[in-house]
Structure formats: C-alpha cells, structure tokens
Amino acid sequence: MTVPGPTAKPVPEPTPETQPFWDGCAAGELRLQRCTDCGQAYFYPRPVCPACGSVNVEWFTASGQATLYSYVINHRPAPGFEDEAPYAIAVVELAEGPRMMTNLVGVPNTPEDLVLDMPLRVTFEPRGGVYLPMFTPAREGSAP
Amino acid sequence: MSGAPGVIIAGAAETDQVGKLPGHSTLALHLEAAVNALRDAGLSTRDIDGIATVSAPGPVQVAHALGIVPRWIDGTGVGGTSFLLHVRHAAAAIRAGYARTVLITHGESGRSRVGATPYRGSPSSVTGQFETPYGTFGATTTFTITALRYMKDLGLTPEQLAYVAVAQRRWAARNPRAAYRDPITVEDVLASRMIAYPFHLLECCLVTDGGGALVITSADRAAEFPKPAVHVLGTGESSETPLISQMADFTASQAFRRAGQDAFAEAGIGPSDVGHLMIYDAFAHVPIYGLEALGFVARGEAGAFIAEGNTEPGGRLPLNTNGGGLSYTHTGMYGMFAITESVRQVRGEAAAQVGSADISVVLGNGGSFSTAGVLVLGRHPR
C-alpha cells in the first residue's frame, strides 16, 4: 500500500451549455443567462428559462455584486480541502437575483466575521485550467 | 381519489438487527428484510407479483434473488424518501390491476459499506460544476446550509435547534433497538463536536447498516393477514431541486408542502386529525421544516413547539417515536424506517407506543430537500 499523496480539489468540467459561463470566469466576468421573453435572470446555465419555459435566452455580464444568503463552516474537509478546514461553504444572492454556491475568500471563515446579508463581490481563482467564482467582502471604494 | 378501492400495508418489518452489521452485504440486508416482512404478512415469495426498491441493487436484483418474476416493477430512486413513493406507486398499480401484492425493500450497508455502490459524482454534472468544487462533502455540508438563513429570518435559536435532538433521545430511551438511548441535554448537544457550523455531532444523523420491507395489497384482503391492516389513506410526492444552492427559499420546503397537501387532501384530513407523526430527521432542522410545511404549526413556530415539549413523550403530537435518524438508526436512506415505525404505531405494537396513533403521518425527504414523500396511514379505512 502506498500512502496517497495530497488530493487535488475537484475541478469542474464544462459542458457545451455551460462553456460561456466558464469562458466568462476566465475573462474576469460573471456571466449569467436571462430570458428575452419574460426577463428572468437565472443560474445555473441551461437552454430553457425556468420561469416561463422559453428557449429565447441570452447571456449577459452580471455586476459581480452579491450578499451572503447562508453558509456552513465545514469541519470535515472534502478531499483536497484538508489544509483549509474549517472552511465556509456559502450560498450568495447575486444583485441580479440568482443564487450560487461559493467559497468566501479574504475574510476569516468564522461565525463572527461571516454575517448574513453582508455585501460581497466576485473574484476569480484559477484551478486546473478553469477559473472559479469566489466571493470576498465588498469594501468601500472597491470596484464591483 | 374518493371511491377508489382501498390499499393496505399487510406486512412490515426491519432486519433482525440495525446498527453495525459487517457480516451483511447490501443485498443480504434487502433479502433479510423481505423475508421478515413476508413472514409478518403470513405470505411467501410466491404471493408477490410486484417489486419496488432503489438502485443499487435495484428491483431486478432483489426480485431475482427471491425467485420472483414480477408483473410490475418500480425502481424510483430519489433518495431516502423513495420507499414512500414506492408505497404511493404501488397503491396506484394495485388499484389499476397491474399488481396484486407488492414487495418494497430497503437494505443499506451505510456504515460498513459491504457490497455497497461507491459514492461518486461526475465533474461535468451540474452538481460537479457548481457545488462540488466548493468543498461540499456529503449531506452534512449541503442539507445543513439552509439553517443559518432560517435562524436569522425566523428567530430559531441554537438551543431550540439542539432541543430537537434532546426530544428525540427521550423517545429513543424507550426503544431497545435504538443506537443511542442515554438522556442528553441541550448543553450536551451544544458541547458535542462541531461538524458543520451551526450543526454539532448530536444534531446530525447516525450512519448505520440495516434494512426494512413492506408488503402492499388491496384492502378487501385485510382479514387474510395475521396483523391488523394499516390503511394507506393518502399519499403525496414532489421534488424541488438537485442543488441545495437552488432551493427557492431556504426557510421552507416546497416539496414537503406539495407532497403534504396532496396526501392530506386525498385522506380528507387536516393536521388536527393526526395523532402520530414521523418526519425524516437527517439533521435537527428537518423536523422543524416538516412541521411547518405540513401545517402543524405556523411558519417560524416549530422550534419553540418542539422546545416546549409538544413532540416528546407525554406531548400532544408524538414525533419520531423510534428516536429517529438522530438516535435510532440511519442507513443513508432512512425513509423505510420512518414507515415501519408508523406501521408499528398504527398497529399498536411499537416499543414506545402512543395512545393516539389511529392516524399517523410519515414525511420523507430525499437528498438535501431535493424530494419528498408523504403517507397518511390509518387503523381504519377512510
């Protein structure tokens, strides 16, 4: 038996319908979809509007602004996260409405520092050939 | 459904033991549960013409292992509530004449992982792209993530959340088969190891091995069986989301609500008619969401309702009387054990028997608020 080496963190594999999202992340933009019939903005990427069933949907660049909707601080690390536990797994609410899961960077991952509804902004971290959207506290004067 | 022929649970049983069973494969747990449920119904495998279970091992494997050539198959696999959906689907099949006597089985080597399917996910799935990269690691990191939002919006306190585990331990103390029976306090819960803030170890379900099975048939045969018939009075099912991050409102489950409304409407009952309740408790907050979704309390009131003692022994709404997933057993897909306890209560043969179980309701969850099933079971036909 060999001792396993450090496990890498999971890397997402884009599919054709999600590729524009990941291309956006690589370009430093958070791209979402919006229905051109009913106006609904939504996430995760898919070719049908979840509000009205229309296939008339388009990509747009979101502001990157969000608020902290909910989170846990995980003490049993997933493979690849051993050095970071305890770490927060968060769900943020984007200014445009949709929510997404993320990690919170540039802030201690403690209950005292992570206050629900605190303002956040997107930042992108490279991992295995893609860039992952992460969120960090939005500070006075910081660009969105 | 008014006027539809009645359907009953004629047999219900669990494996001889639940807990740590490294001598049993997943399939062996299914088969032991099946044999026990058939014995409970006074039937043999030759009487079964319909089969339902989840993969793996799935209905084809279970039917073949038992020598059953079914004329009706259901492999619905939507997590721990699947068995409640099997009951619902079996009831429809029996009414339609597609099957006469259906066997539903559960077996899971959740702790020992003997003959178990490995957990795996594809990095190109929606979950693999948009949740797994952030370090999710099983239900302790996903099912739990709604709770802080609920606590902020509706005022649930850490002590009230902890009390869910305290109340259920009081039931487990009366159940000789329960994994944990010693009394605990709110302080004990809050002092237990942090698993995923705000959840401590004692607010998370067990991980065990075990199984259970049911025999479903038409109510006109009720007198043929050795045990009192348990009538399936109403059923409901629903789904909300495969991704916990996309649950529409982190303070309420749409799937719980829809499944409950349909089951109560079919049974022609309301919350005040219910004398015994099982709500799938993978984590301490789930019974809180369940009580509110089913209309037993108003939104935001369930934490206080439990903390005031209403659901524990001596309370007016006995809830999770086997001790639940928190203290009795939790193989991974616990829903079967919620049904078997409900059946025991309706029959009057439970370890912690309550006096009010003429109508019992079971709410099952699958995944992390992904799916739901509800059964209304009764001692008498509607």
Side-chain angles (χ1 to χ4, degrees):
Chain A
M1 292 285 284
T2 55
V3 178
T7 311
K9 290 179 177 176
V11 178
E13 283 181 12
T15 49
E17 71 273 18
T18 67
Q19 190 66 53
F21 175 83
W22 295 111
D23 289 346
C25 292
E29 293 184 355
L30 188 67
R31 293 179 188 162
L32 302 178
Q33 285 169 299
R34 175 166 59 204
C35 177
T36 58
D37 285 336
C38 78
Q40 178 78 34
Y42 64 92
F43 176 83
Y44 47 96
R46 51 207 196 268
V48 182
C49 171
C52 76
S54 170
V55 296
N56 299 317
V57 301
E58 65 179 6
W59 289 92
F60 72 101
T61 300
S63 65
Q65 295 173 332
T67 54
L68 181 56
Y69 184 60
S70 202
Y71 67 91
V72 290
I73 300 175
N74 181 28
H75 289 246
R76 296 169 66 248
F81 287 79
E82 292 83 356
D83 294 340
E84 295 176 31
Y87 59 92
I89 302 167
V91 174
V92 299
E93 184 164 298
L94 303 174
E96 293 77 11
R99 297 190 196 118
M100 60 188 297
M101 188 173 278
T102 194
N103 294 132
L104 299 170
V105 298
V107 57
N109 281 193
T110 66
E112 296 71 30
D113 288 286
L114 303 179
V115 179
L116 293 199
D117 302 314
M118 66 192 285
L120 303 166
R121 65 175 173 83
V122 74
T123 180
F124 297 94
E125 290 203 355
R127 184 187 300 172
V130 302
Y131 285 77
L132 282 175
M134 304 283 188
F135 284 79
T136 193
R139 297 202 169 81
E140 198 77 14
S142 67
Chain B
M1 284 295 173
S2 187
V7 169
I8 59 169
I9 300 175
E14 298 173 2
T15 45
D16 297 343
Q17 294 176 286
V18 291
K20 191 174 181 180
L21 306 171
H24 288 65
S25 72
T26 300
L27 179 58
L29 292 166
H30 277 264
L31 303 182
E32 183 176 300
V35 167
N36 289 351
L38 287 165
R39 184 185 302 124
D40 186 69
L43 298 177
S44 82
T45 50
R46 290 184 305 279
D47 299 306
I48 299 299
D49 64 354
I51 187 85
T53 190
V54 299
S55 293
V60 176
Q61 175 64 79
V62 172
H64 182 264
L66 293 169
I68 295 166
V69 180
R71 57 165 52 93
W72 179 86
I73 300 164
D74 183 7
T76 302
V78 291
T81 195
S82 299
F83 315 100
L84 285 81
L85 274 61
H86 296 154
V87 171
R88 185 173 208 238
H89 302 172
I94 289 163
R95 289 182 177 127
Y98 294 161
R100 180 169 158 84
T101 312
V102 172
L103 175 66
I104 302 169
T105 68
H106 166 62
E108 192 166 5
S109 184
R111 179 179 176 124
S112 303
R113 309 296 306 162
V114 181
T117 306
Y119 296 121
R120 60 170 120 74
S122 164
S124 62
S125 69
V126 174
T127 306
Q129 291 187 66
F130 300 112
E131 290 199 343
T132 315
Y134 299 107
T136 57
F137 194 42
T140 54
T141 58
T142 52
F143 212 159
T144 51
I145 204 167
T146 65
L148 282 184
R149 187 80 246 171
Y150 183 101
M151 294 168 87
K152 174 164 183 178
D153 286 3
L154 295 168
L156 179 74
T157 67
E159 290 74 18
Q160 288 172 334
L161 184 63
Y163 197 87
V164 175
V166 173
Q168 292 195 192
R169 186 62 65 87
R170 290 183 180 164
W171 287 114
R174 301 173 177 218
N175 179 1
R177 281 165 63 88
Y180 293 118
R181 303 182 62 201
D182 294 337
I184 52 174
T185 64
V186 166
E187 291 70 32
D188 293 332
V189 176
L190 295 178
S192 66
R193 184 160 52 91
M194 191 66 82
I195 299 295
Y197 172 83
F199 287 82
H200 307 78
L201 180 67
L202 293 176
E203 292 160 327
C204 302
C205 66
L206 306 163
V207 182
T208 62
D209 307 321
L214 307 168
V215 178
I216 315 291
T217 193
S218 54
D220 58 6
R221 299 174 61 197
E224 297 176 23
F225 304 103
K227 295 281 184 69
V230 173
H231 295 265
V232 180
L233 302 177
T235 62
E237 65 189 273
S238 190
S239 71
E240 176 161 0
T241 173
L243 299 177
I244 189 65
S245 62
Q246 303 306 310
M247 184 176 177
D249 177 352
F250 273 23
T251 70
S253 165
Q254 295 183 86
F256 285 8
R257 194 181 311 128
R258 167 159 283 191
Q261 284 171 346
D262 285 355
F264 281 37
E266 183 186 352
I269 65 155
S272 63
D273 298 309
V274 177
H276 172 258
L277 181 60
M278 299 296 294
I279 297 177
Y280 194 120
D281 58 324
F283 297 92
H285 64 319
V286 187
I288 291 171
Y289 285 66
L291 283 167
E292 295 179 9
L294 296 178
F296 287 100
V297 296
R299 177 172 158 80
E301 292 182 357
F305 183 76
I306 294 171
E308 287 160 6
N310 287 298
T311 64
E312 63 193 57
R316 63 187 169 96
L317 182 60
L319 170 66
N320 292 343
T321 49
N322 57 359
L326 297 179
S327 286
Y328 172 47
T329 206
H330 190 290
T331 52
M333 289 182 282
Y334 165 81
M336 176 61 78
F337 298 97
I339 303 171
T340 51
E341 171 65 9
S342 183
V343 168
R344 288 189 294 263
Q345 290 285 352
V346 171
R347 286 173 169 178
E349 62 180 27
Q353 183 64 45
V354 303
S356 55
D358 276 8
I359 293 182
S360 173
V361 166
V362 190
L363 166 60
N365 165 83
S368 297
F369 291 117
S370 295
T371 58
V374 173
L375 303 178
V376 179
L377 304 179
R379 189 167 297 173
H380 308 290
R382 192 150 52 90

